[in-house]
Amino acid sequence: MKIPVIIDTDPGIDDALALFLAFSSEKLDIRAITSVGGNIPLGKTTKNSIDLVSYIGANTKVAKGAEGPILRELHTAEYVHGETGLHSVVLPEGNIKLYEKSAWDTIYEEAIKCEGRLNIIAIGPLTNIAIALMKYPDLKHKIEKITLMGGACYIGNTTPAAEFNIYVDAEAADIVFKSGIPVIMVGLDATHKALVLEKDIEYITEGKSKISETIRQFFNCCSIICKLYGLEGAIVHDALAVASVINPNIIEKHKYYVAVETKGELTYGKTVVDIYNVTKKEANAEVAMDVDREGFVEMLRGMIKAYE
Ligand code: RIB
Ligand code: CA
């Protein structure tokens, strides 16, 4: 039986690769793509969502979400993803109409339809999810699981303490981690171990189709950015989160209590992971701490085959 999912996203180069992977899988029933302000402002993440879904040829609704965080100003990442959000990749203008409902109303609508089986894959800031949970108090009983790319036990990529998706809207992340919904946290501890090397990119994108050429361009953009940080290869954070829903064995998870810092001057947006259970609080998340990197590369190669 397929897994019904909604992918909440701020495309974003690695979001784009995550969407190619998701739509290539026969295991996922993608009910909707919901856009959120994040890597770049909402207008562009929504346009990129429409262009990507159209380009992939998927018949999936795209619903527009929040301009920015619940409380704070939007912090964007054009320095990584470029002004358009897709770095140097140019896609044809999408031809699908925006869904008439907001992201949060779409999430609720689909949660009702899926009768408790809906999975959310959140690969941008968690604003839309938090708004949905605040607007619909019964929603938390209708979501099977939230798999989110975000956070980290030990490092930050936006401040020394915080990962981007959590940093952009820590208040929203706090609501999600306190919701009681099972959370799979695919953070930097795992994504940084899933480095796709240059030789892997060649292996993955051997295909001859138009889409495989475009996917190769996205990988190359990723590796250009990673080189700026001294890394040889591409860290495709969001694609790993999607991969972990398609094949849960791709990551090694541990049950930990996770809290989100929303007050600290230096630590705002940090996911505080209680690895030794010193708080004696019950675990509220499964945190990815290791990755089957080779298995992930094989899944990415399989993705290309699906588009040949
Ligand atoms: O920290 C990585 C995350 O932030 C990814 O989701 C990337 O797209 C950016 O949104
Ligand atoms: Ca993202």
Side-chain angles (χ1 to χ4, degrees):
M1 201 170 180
K2 290 196 171 197
I3 305 167
V5 302
I6 282 183
I7 302 176
D8 191 75
T9 179
D10 62 337
I13 308 164
D14 58 325
D15 302 71
L17 288 167
L19 293 179
F20 280 113
L21 179 61
F23 281 107
S24 74
S25 172
E26 290 177 357
K27 291 192 177 175
L28 303 183
D29 170 15
I30 304 173
R31 313 286 296 189
I33 300 296
T34 51
S35 64
V36 65
N39 286 319
I40 43 158
L42 178 66
K44 292 179 182 176
T45 59
T46 306
K47 173 182 180 336
N48 291 343
S49 300
I50 286 174
D51 292 353
L52 282 159
V53 171
S54 300
Y55 183 71
I56 291 167
N59 178 22
T60 300
K61 50 179 170 279
V62 176
K64 188 174 178 180
E67 296 268 353
I70 294 175
L71 292 183
R72 298 197 173 210
E73 287 301 306
L74 179 62
H75 172 90
T76 53
E78 286 88 348
Y79 59 94
V80 174
H81 298 271
E83 283 307 310
T84 67
L86 299 182
H87 203 268
S88 55
V89 179
V90 180
L91 295 177
E93 193 78 22
N95 57 10
I96 53 172
K97 217 163 68 61
L98 204 53
Y99 191 53
E100 73 267 9
K101 285 191 163 70
S102 66
W104 39 89
D105 290 346
T106 302
I107 289 169
Y108 189 65
E109 179 184 59
E110 287 302 327
I112 300 282
K113 284 183 191 170
C114 295
E115 297 176 330
R117 292 192 60 245
L118 183 64
N119 278 244
I120 291 177
I121 305 177
I123 52 177
L126 293 162
T127 314
N128 291 340
I129 319 305
I131 292 173
L133 289 169
M134 288 188 285
K135 183 172 180 182
Y136 301 103
D138 60 327
L139 177 62
K140 58 179 173 288
H141 303 301
K142 299 178 174 13
I143 301 287
E144 183 172 88
K145 189 167 63 219
I146 296 174
T147 298
L148 61 92
M149 191 280 134
C153 294
Y154 302 112
I155 55 175
N157 63 1
T158 304
T159 71
E163 177 279 329
F164 181 84
N165 287 336
I166 309 298
Y167 177 77
V168 167
D169 196 344
E171 283 78 10
D174 186 40
I175 288 169
V176 170
F177 278 95
K178 287 177 177 170
S179 67
I181 299 169
V183 168
I184 309 282
M185 178 177 128
V186 182
L188 301 180
D189 316 284
T191 63
H192 280 212
K193 292 178 182 171
L195 184 65
V196 180
L197 304 172
E198 299 298 341
K199 65 177 173 60
D200 299 323
I201 295 174
E202 287 310 312
Y203 171 66
I204 290 164
T205 60
E206 269 174 353
K208 301 277 179 287
S209 71
K210 170 183 67 118
I211 283 198
S212 56
E213 175 50 36
T214 303
I215 290 173
R216 184 182 300 115
Q217 288 175 26
F218 277 115
F219 272 111
N220 290 338
C221 292
C222 250
S223 53
I224 289 168
I225 292 154
C226 288
K227 264 195 188 65
L228 299 176
Y229 292 86
L231 292 166
E232 279 304 316
I235 299 183
V236 279
H237 305 278
D238 295 336
L240 184 63
V242 166
S244 73
V245 177
I246 295 167
N247 173 11
N249 298 324
I250 212 77
I251 55 174
E252 181 191 288
K253 305 185 288 280
H254 297 264
K255 290 183 176 177
Y256 295 135
Y257 173 69
V258 179
V260 180
E261 178 57 67
T262 59
K263 301 283 180 286
E265 186 188 339
L266 300 177
T267 55
Y268 176 84
K270 178 168 181 52
T271 47
V272 182
V273 182
D274 185 1
I275 289 174
Y276 298 110
N277 192 225
V278 294
T279 63
K280 300 290 179 256
K281 291 189 175 181
E282 190 184 344
N284 60 343
E286 291 185 86
V287 179
M289 298 303 285
D290 211 342
V291 181
D292 171 5
R293 198 196 72 82
E294 286 68 31
F296 180 48
V297 169
E298 284 306 321
M299 286 183 73
L300 294 170
R301 180 170 168 93
M303 162 183 72
I304 293 276
K305 297 273 170 263
Y307 292 111
E308 288 298 287

